[in-house]
Each structure stands twice: as C-alpha cells, then as structure tokens.
C-alpha cells in the first residue's frame, strides 16, 4: 500500500512515517506540510491512501479531501486531534473514507490505513456511534434523487444500510440480521455501487439523512 502523509507539524509527520514504514507492505511515498502540496503529491504519485490532518495552511484538510476524492486520486483517512466537531462532519461530507484521532496507537493507525486501502471506511473506535448520532441531529434531509436511489435497494439491502447508519461493523450487521459475514460484505458492496458511494461512511451518512427506520434484530 502506497501512502501520502500530510500534516503541518514536521514531528508528527516523521512519527507517522516511522510507524507506517515499520508495517509490512506499507510504503510512505510522499509527505506534505499543507493541503495543496498533498493534493499535488496525490496527483503525481497516485497513492492508495492519503492520510490528512484537518487544520493545515494553504489548503485545509477538508478542501484537500474534496479535491482528492473528486479527482479519484486516493482514498482519504483524516487524522485529527478534534473529536466530534464541524471539521469531522466537513471531512466526511467531502468524501473521506475514515476518521481517526491522533491519540490512536501505532497498531490502530496501521489497521486504519489498511482498512481504507481495502475500500472500507473506518471511524475511530469509541466515537463511531456518537459521531453518527451527532451528525444525524444536524443532517439535512436527503435529496429526492438520493431517496429514489435508496428506494431502489432491495428490502434486505435497506436493512443493511440502516445498520450502517447505526455504525455497526460487518460482523455486527451479520449477527443482527442473521446473515453470514461474507453475505453482509456482498450486500455492502452492492449498496455502495447502487448508490454511487465511495465508502461505508458515506453510506452511513445517507442512511441518517434518509431517515431509515431502526433495523430489525
């Protein structure tokens, strides 16, 4: 997995690079001190994952995420000290595949990068449900187009989407709906394709905006 790191603090970048370089099959191919440079590096190097700080000069992490995702340059993992604020919501709306707090340990960071590289979203353990609940409290109503897309899902896919909106993992969804985990993964993949979404995090946001009822189980 090829990774670009962006943080305006050199010591933080060095620490992240050291952690990731020590992981098997992970290569840090570029580092940036601001969001604009991060976007340029992603365009030139096409990494699998861009790990971005939220607050950076020249171009902040949210704007950088928006450009990187829109141009399909990489999947984005947002790394920040800020928990449950407008910056997190902005990053998720911009298309970030994951959100991780900077106090996450080395193993958690590596696991998060690997998860995002595999096309699955991740939100920091311990804040997933709080984040989605807080987002839901301020989430706008889904557009008519989005509501139509959700209605195009099968009943089982809508159940899975509702579970995603509650921040459940694939295994938790499988247990709740009486499915095999492999079947759950297939449903999630189909949901993302049908709704033209890049990550399960975006699916969770859409589920909340659509007001899907509590999933069965």
């Amino acid at each position: 997995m090829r990774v670009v790191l962006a943080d305006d603090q050199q010591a933080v970048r060095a620490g992240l690079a050291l952690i990731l370089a020590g992981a098997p099959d992970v290569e840090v191919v570029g580092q940036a001190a601001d969001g604009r440079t991060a976007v340029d590096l992603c365009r030139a190097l096409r990494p699998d994952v861009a790990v971005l700080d939220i607050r950076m000069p020249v171009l902040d992490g949210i704007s950088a995420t928006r450009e990187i995702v829109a141009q399909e340059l990489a999947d984005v993992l947002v790394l920040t000290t800020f928990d449950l604020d407008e910056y997190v919501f902005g990053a998720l709306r911009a298309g970030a595949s994951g959100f991780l707090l900077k106090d996450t340990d080395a193993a958690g960071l590596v696991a998060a990068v690997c998860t995002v590289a595999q096309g699955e979203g991740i939100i920091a353990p311990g804040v997933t449900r709080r984040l989605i609940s807080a987002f839901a409290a301020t989430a706008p109503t889904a557009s008519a187009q989005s509501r139509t897309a959700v209605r195009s899902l099968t009943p089982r896919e809508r159940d899975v989407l509702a579970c995603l909106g509650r921040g459940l993992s694939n295994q938790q969804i499988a247990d709740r709906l009486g499915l095999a985990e492999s079947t759950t993964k297939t449903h999630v993949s189909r949901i993302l394709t049908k709704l033209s979404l890049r990550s399960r995090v975006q699916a969770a946001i859409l589920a909340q905006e659509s007001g899907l009822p509590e999933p069965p189980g």
Side-chain angles (χ1 to χ4, degrees):
M1 291 169 290
R2 303 170 74 250
V3 178
V4 162
L5 298 175
D7 194 295
D8 60 346
Q9 298 182 47
Q10 194 279 330
V12 173
R13 289 200 312 277
L16 295 174
L18 185 63
I19 290 171
L20 293 175
D25 301 322
V26 177
E27 178 186 9
V28 177
V29 295
Q31 299 184 42
D34 63 80
R36 174 52 59 202
T37 302
V39 175
D40 292 342
L41 284 175
C42 287
R43 185 177 296 112
L45 301 173
R46 296 301 175 107
D48 299 297
V49 180
V51 180
L52 307 181
D53 188 23
I54 286 286
R55 293 185 176 179
M56 293 187 290
V58 185
L59 190 70
D60 62 59
I62 295 174
S63 298
T65 294
R66 188 174 295 111
E67 289 193 27
I68 290 169
V69 171
Q71 298 176 42
E72 299 185 349
L73 304 179
D75 288 319
V76 175
L77 174 65
V78 172
L79 191 64
T80 179
T81 57
F82 302 98
D83 182 5
L84 296 181
D85 62 15
E86 69 275 13
Y87 294 101
V88 176
F89 298 153
L92 294 178
R93 286 189 184 281
S97 294
F99 160 68
L100 206 61
L101 297 178
K102 284 186 176 178
D103 62 3
T104 301
D105 61 19
L109 172 62
V110 173
V113 169
C114 292
T115 297
V116 170
Q118 292 166 0
E120 295 188 28
I122 184 170
I123 302 177
V127 302
T128 303
R129 292 182 185 176
R130 286 192 297 130
L131 175 61
I132 292 176
S133 295
F135 186 96
T138 59
T141 303
S143 67
Q145 182 178 4
S146 294
R147 291 196 299 272
T148 299
V150 170
R151 286 196 295 269
S152 74
L153 301 176
T154 67
R156 178 57 82 192
E157 288 168 345
R158 284 196 293 273
D159 288 343
V160 172
L161 180 60
C163 288
L164 289 175
R166 269 66 180 180
L168 302 186
S169 68
N170 284 343
Q171 185 59 64
Q172 290 170 326
I173 295 172
D175 292 343
R176 185 156 188 168
L177 300 180
L179 304 171
E181 185 176 6
S182 59
T183 302
T184 299
K185 290 181 179 179
T186 298
H187 281 310
V188 171
S189 178
R190 288 176 178 169
I191 288 168
L192 297 182
T193 298
K194 287 184 177 182
L195 300 181
S196 299
L197 301 174
R198 289 179 58 83
S199 73
R200 63 191 293 125
V201 177
Q202 289 183 317
I205 292 172
L206 178 58
Q208 289 289 351
E209 291 177 342
S210 301
L212 289 178
E214 182 73 18

